[in-house]
Amino acid sequence: MSRLMLGRTLERICKAVLLLCLVHFLIMMILYFDVYSQRFDIFSRFNNGRGVNSSRGPHHYYYNFSRPNTTFASYLATADHLLPSTKPEANHTPPTPKPLPPCPEVPPGLVGRLLIEFSSQITLERVQRENPNVTEGGKYTPPDCRPKQKVAIIIPFRHRDNHLKYWLHYLHPVLRRQKIDYGIYIINQLGEDTFNRAKLLNVGYTEALKDAEYNCFIFSDIDLIPMDDRNLYHCYDQPRHFAIAMDKFGFRLPYAGYFGGVSGLSKKQFLKINGFPNEYWGWGGEDDDIYNRITLNGMKVSRPDVRIGRYRMIKHERDKHNEPNPQRFSKIQNTKNTMRKDGISSLMYRVVSVKKYPLYTNISVEIGKPPPRPLKG
């Protein structure tokens, strides 16, 4: 009896052990397939993310954080090569910018007649704020079109700082509306010897060409302001006289051969007349000599309509050491004989300094002294 009881007990123990083994086996199989499926899912996601021709769009990458001593930082350090490259291809070239159209013959932003007054106080700081697109040296290029000409504006100068502020205040906005590619050059005669306007203009032509490849030159007195922005500051087929109707002359041309105040010549036209005369010391005569040079070389002076070519002059007393030149009348009559030897080809001067300010370029020069006048008798 005792043996029978012992045998049944052993049978039950064996069945229990067998059942436990079976349960253990089932648990192990479940865990095995679960881990296997996770590993398979990880590798399939990585492979899909790395596929060159994958069409699923952006992928999210996964990492098994059950590995010992694993952190997200270490994953980033080891899995960077699995992420899509953000570097541009070696043969990628940026798109070619679309070329600008030519600037229109008549810019659309012109306003016509301008109100010009000299009672308000003007500072260079204010002018600079009003013209933020003007770059160092007083240069400007239209951002939305391609001008046909590059224009240097030459101003003979001495002791006219207040006039300069007004000129810059009015002219910078006008020139920008006219879509002119320009640079402004103030040619300052040093010393207190007799003033020589035409020689300073020759200096301005020469020095401007050292700074940029200009093909048009506008020569302007510092005290003349245009009253209409339709008076376009560029060069024409013939030498141009802009200031044809000044207020001091009752807004009329004083005489047919007048070429003073503001004028313009292309580089080719300027060289054809050998530039301007260097021997007109003091006030008057040089503009008539220039007119003679133009007509003697087979060219004609072009002018705007009298309603557009109106100018207002800043009133002032005549400068010291710029008294009327008593020899001007005899020199004008002799232009034909002197223009080949007196001009840009015979120009002599010395540059003392070149300073580029926000609104203009200042070139200070020494141009010598007038020759002694012959004694009367």
Side-chain angles (χ1 to χ4, degrees):
M1 185 68 180
S2 59
R3 289 182 179 180
L4 181 60
M5 293 296 292
L6 180 62
R8 290 179 177 178
T9 302
L10 290 174
E11 183 182 359
R12 291 173 180 173
I13 292 173
C14 288
K15 288 181 179 180
V17 170
L18 181 62
L19 182 61
L20 288 174
C21 289
L22 180 60
V23 172
H24 182 267
F25 176 79
L26 291 173
I27 293 174
M28 292 298 296
M29 291 301 293
I30 292 172
L31 292 174
Y32 176 81
F33 284 109
D34 182 66
V35 172
Y36 179 82
S37 64
Q38 290 183 18
R39 291 174 60 85
F40 182 81
D41 182 65
I42 290 171
F43 289 120
S44 65
R45 291 175 185 270
F46 279 151
N47 289 333
N48 288 338
R50 294 171 63 184
V52 176
N53 298 320
S54 175
S55 60
R56 296 185 181 180
H59 299 282
H60 298 282
Y61 297 97
Y62 299 90
Y63 190 71
N64 186 1
F65 289 103
S66 64
R67 291 167 52 188
N69 302 320
T70 299
T71 63
F72 188 68
S74 64
Y75 161 67
L76 293 176
T78 58
D80 281 347
H81 65 284
L82 300 174
L83 299 176
S85 174
T86 58
K87 295 181 180 179
E89 298 178 7
N91 59 352
H92 176 73
T93 56
T96 304
K98 186 178 180 180
L100 293 175
C103 291
E105 292 292 334
V106 180
L110 301 179
V111 299
R113 188 68 62 86
L114 306 173
L115 175 63
I116 307 297
E117 56 86 22
F118 307 116
S119 59
S120 302
Q121 293 297 318
I122 301 296
T123 64
L124 293 179
E125 291 76 17
R126 171 185 168 182
V127 180
Q128 188 175 351
R129 288 195 303 269
E130 294 171 344
N131 300 275
N133 295 328
V134 175
T135 60
E136 185 182 48
K139 295 181 179 180
Y140 175 81
T141 300
D144 55 353
C145 64
R146 186 178 68 257
K148 294 181 180 179
Q149 302 175 359
K150 193 171 184 65
V151 181
I153 301 177
I154 313 297
I155 301 177
F157 185 87
R158 187 168 65 180
H159 306 325
R160 295 285 192 91
D161 297 284
N162 193 48
H163 292 180
L164 175 61
K165 296 174 186 177
Y166 285 112
W167 193 96
L168 295 170
H169 169 67
Y170 285 113
L171 265 296
H172 269 305
V174 167
L175 295 169
R176 290 191 294 108
R177 289 197 299 270
Q178 292 181 355
K179 304 292 184 183
I180 305 295
D181 180 0
Y182 68 89
I184 294 175
Y185 297 86
I186 305 299
I187 313 302
N188 179 39
Q189 180 177 335
L190 295 174
E192 298 299 329
D193 289 309
T194 305
F195 195 70
N196 191 324
R197 176 180 179 269
K199 190 171 185 178
L200 291 173
L201 297 179
N202 280 340
V203 172
Y205 168 88
T206 304
E207 291 299 314
L209 283 176
K210 295 178 182 179
D211 191 39
E213 294 184 2
Y214 294 104
N215 53 20
C216 174
F217 299 85
I218 307 297
F219 305 96
S220 175
D221 289 345
I222 193 66
D223 55 3
L224 288 176
I225 309 298
M227 300 177 65
D228 197 308
D229 62 2
R230 293 172 294 177
N231 195 359
L232 301 178
Y233 272 40
H234 61 73
C235 289
Y236 296 77
D237 293 337
Q238 298 291 332
R240 187 76 164 182
H241 183 216
F242 296 95
I244 66 168
M246 300 182 196
D247 57 352
K248 76 169 186 175
F249 296 135
F251 297 110
R252 288 188 292 268
L253 192 68
Y255 51 92
Y258 183 66
F259 198 69
V262 185
S263 58
L265 291 88
S266 69
K267 183 178 180 180
K268 183 178 180 180
Q269 294 164 356
F270 187 88
L271 293 175
K272 188 173 183 178
I273 66 173
N274 192 24
F276 299 158
N278 297 312
E279 298 304 324
Y280 281 81
W281 297 89
W283 181 88
E286 79 287 343
D287 48 353
D288 296 316
D289 190 293
I290 296 167
Y291 181 89
N292 290 343
R293 290 174 182 238
I294 291 170
T295 57
L296 289 170
N297 281 279
M299 295 184 287
K300 297 180 180 180
V301 171
S302 65
R303 294 186 172 104
D305 185 278
V306 68
R307 292 167 295 181
I308 293 176
R310 295 162 65 95
Y311 278 75
R312 190 170 297 282
M313 175 179 283
I314 306 174
K315 293 182 179 181
H316 60 91
E317 299 294 329
R318 178 164 292 165
D319 301 321
K320 293 182 179 179
H321 309 293
N322 191 30
E323 293 79 10
N325 181 359
Q327 300 176 334
R328 62 187 185 278
F329 299 110
S330 61
K331 285 183 175 295
I332 294 169
Q333 297 173 359
N334 207 27
T335 303
K336 186 175 182 179
N337 299 323
T338 59
M339 65 179 181
R340 294 302 170 200
K341 58 184 179 181
D342 176 23
I344 195 69
S345 60
S346 62
L347 178 65
M348 296 181 65
Y349 64 97
R350 187 176 78 88
V351 174
V352 176
S353 67
V354 177
K355 296 181 180 179
K356 293 191 175 184
Y357 295 102
L359 298 169
Y360 63 95
T361 297
N362 184 89
I363 303 176
S364 295
V365 295
E366 293 178 348
I367 60 173
K369 301 179 181 181
R373 294 177 181 176
L375 298 174
K376 295 181 180 181

